[in-house]
């Protein structure tokens, strides 16, 4: 009987394994030796696809960017709705893969999916009537906001020990010990509140531009 063949090593297999490792253990866990062991291959065989560890991490980052929905910029939604829907999709992708955010935060560089995201946002804003310089600024500020929300949890930063918030020292933090157990709810509400405020401000600015102000 013929022995079962191992799946052929490919860029996709390497990226999938690296992404799973980053998700589970963080960036520091990724090494060519560790990945080779996970994939059941020899270390040098990885170099045929990725010469360096940094290139593997760049590919992992791009695979996460590829999960971001961009259809809202192509199906006729107005610019504000498109930005809102895109921001929610982008944050969902980062929430699912928070450990890769430091790599993504460096910018798209030469990553194809990351560049497609930047191109879609900028193109949609210009087409909607924003000046190119303002469209660039909008892309930047949205990225700052979304990336910032994914770097860490506000609610998760508070301990669930009521004794940590002595009212003599922190008279307004009497309920802070409850934040951790409601982390997802608090963080989602904070993101939605901030996004709405950001888009409201842009809408006011856009109307001013249309009036020539």
């Amino acid at each position: 009987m013929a022995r079962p063949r191992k799946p052929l090593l490919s860029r996709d297999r390497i990226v999938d394994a690296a992404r799973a490792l980053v998700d589970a253990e963080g960036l520091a866990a990724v090494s060519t030796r560790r990945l080779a062991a996970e994939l059941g291959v020899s270390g040098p065989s990885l170099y045929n696809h990725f010469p360096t560890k940094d290139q593997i991490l760049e590919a992992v980052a791009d695979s996460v960017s590829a999960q971001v929905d961009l259809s809202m910029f192509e199906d006729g939604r107005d610019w504000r709705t498109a930005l809102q829907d895109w921001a929610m999709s982008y944050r969902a992708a980062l929430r699912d893969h928070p450990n890769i955010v430091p790599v993504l935060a460096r910018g798209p560089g030469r990553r194809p999916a990351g560049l497609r995201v930047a191109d879609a946002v900028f193109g949609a804003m210009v087409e909607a009537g924003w000046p190119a310089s303002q469209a660039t600024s909008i892309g930047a500020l949205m990225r700052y906001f979304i990336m910032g929300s994914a770097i860490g949890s506000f609610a998760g930063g508070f301990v669930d020990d009521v004794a940590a918030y002595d009212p003599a020292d922190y008279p307004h933090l009497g309920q802070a010990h409850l934040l951790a157990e409601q982390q997802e709810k608090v963080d989602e509400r904070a993101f939605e509140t901030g996004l709405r405020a950001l888009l409201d401000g842009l809408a006011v600015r856009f109307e001013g531009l249309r009036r020539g102000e």
Side-chain angles (χ1 to χ4, degrees):
M1 174 182 275
R3 296 173 62 184
R5 295 178 60 188
K6 291 182 179 179
L8 291 175
L9 189 62
S10 66
R11 287 178 64 91
D12 287 345
R13 278 194 69 209
I14 296 169
V15 170
D16 289 346
R19 186 175 58 241
L21 194 55
V22 170
D23 287 345
E25 301 182 33
L27 295 171
V30 178
S31 69
T32 52
R33 178 179 297 179
R34 178 74 182 277
L35 278 175
E38 295 282 337
L39 291 163
V41 299
S42 63
S45 64
L46 296 179
Y47 298 128
N48 294 326
H49 300 277
F50 294 100
T52 68
K53 169 186 168 179
D54 284 345
Q55 289 186 12
I56 294 174
L57 292 177
E58 287 288 311
V60 170
D62 212 38
S63 74
V64 173
S65 292
Q67 297 175 15
V68 180
D69 184 13
L70 299 177
S71 64
M72 65 285 297
F73 297 120
E74 302 168 353
D75 61 10
R77 273 173 262 191
D78 65 272
W79 68 266
R80 176 177 174 145
T81 302
L83 276 184
Q84 176 178 299
D85 294 345
W86 167 70
M88 299 297 287
S89 176
Y90 201 169
R91 183 169 186 268
L94 300 187
R95 186 180 57 224
D96 290 342
H97 307 282
N99 292 335
I100 199 64
V101 171
V103 179
L104 285 163
R106 297 201 291 256
R110 297 177 182 273
R111 300 193 296 267
L115 290 171
R116 282 193 290 272
V117 171
D119 181 73
V121 175
F122 178 79
M125 295 306 100
V126 170
E127 187 174 337
W130 286 94
S133 61
Q134 292 290 320
T136 299
S137 296
I138 290 170
L141 73 89
M142 293 297 292
R143 182 169 165 274
Y144 297 152
F145 177 68
I146 298 166
M147 289 286 180
S149 75
I151 287 175
S153 165
F154 172 80
F158 292 85
V159 298
D160 60 358
D161 179 7
V162 67
Y165 308 103
D166 188 328
D169 296 320
Y170 315 109
H172 305 297
L173 296 182
Q175 301 297 306
H177 65 288
L178 301 175
L179 289 172
E181 68 181 33
Q182 302 180 54
Q183 176 178 330
E184 184 174 350
K185 180 179 179 181
V186 172
D187 290 346
E188 287 292 326
R189 188 170 60 223
F191 181 79
E192 292 170 4
T193 299
L195 180 59
R196 189 179 309 114
L198 189 157
L199 294 174
D200 284 347
L202 287 176
V204 171
R205 177 60 181 155
F206 189 66
E207 287 304 310
L209 290 171
R210 295 180 65 179
R211 293 194 300 267
E213 297 176 0

